[in-house]
Amino acid sequence: MAIELNRPALKHARALVRDGKVVRDDRDAWSEAAPTPDEENAFIEREGWTEYSHWHLGIDKSEDRQTKGAYSFPFGDFRKVHRSGVISGESRAGQHGHDEIRDALKALRELIDQDES
């Protein structure tokens, strides 16, 4: 498993934050805010795999790109970026040695926090 930074997803996340499409929730809120498997399936059915990929900062290019297993480190609910999802992903990326993803999520969190001021 070689998880890499999904650069198109990072660009998408930054654009959403700049456009004000962000929920400034607390870290613990992600367990409630994260899309359910049924919500993920409905989104994929409606929007397709490319759009689904744009909501995940991790991509495993050794996996089939038309499976959920190819994507990790979600950061939003398919409408808005959630600060809680960014924090959760930043923590998990750091724990598992995905430094580039961790650093991208940290920068995204800082952009969210800066935009709040």
Side-chain angles (χ1 to χ4, degrees):
M1 180 163 62
I3 297 174
E4 301 174 19
L5 177 62
N6 184 356
R7 294 187 187 286
L10 180 58
K11 182 177 179 182
H12 176 67
R14 287 178 180 152
L16 288 167
V17 172
R18 283 192 301 271
D19 290 345
K21 295 179 180 175
V22 62
V23 177
R24 291 178 176 84
D25 49 4
D26 293 324
R27 175 188 201 121
D28 296 336
W30 186 237
S31 59
E32 293 295 321
T36 66
D38 286 342
E39 290 169 331
E40 290 178 332
N41 292 340
F43 183 83
I44 292 164
E45 183 70 26
R46 195 174 57 250
E47 304 294 335
W49 286 102
T50 299
E51 288 304 312
Y52 179 78
S53 76
H54 289 166
W55 287 92
H56 298 80
L57 282 190
I59 185 167
D60 185 342
K61 293 183 178 178
S62 69
E63 292 285 332
D64 181 343
R65 303 251 181 122
Q66 292 193 357
T67 64
K68 291 181 187 178
Y71 307 103
S72 55
F73 302 103
F75 55 82
D77 63 6
F78 304 126
R79 292 176 296 281
K80 294 183 177 184
V81 174
H82 281 254
R83 185 176 186 274
S84 61
V86 172
I87 293 170
S88 176
E90 182 184 351
S91 176
R92 281 187 312 113
Q95 290 169 349
H96 295 283
H98 301 296
D99 296 343
E100 188 177 24
I101 295 169
R102 179 204 60 209
D103 294 347
L105 285 161
K106 179 182 180 198
L108 187 59
R109 179 179 46 82
E110 290 170 348
L111 181 63
I112 290 167
D113 292 347
Q114 171 190 353
D115 190 51
E116 187 177 33
S117 321

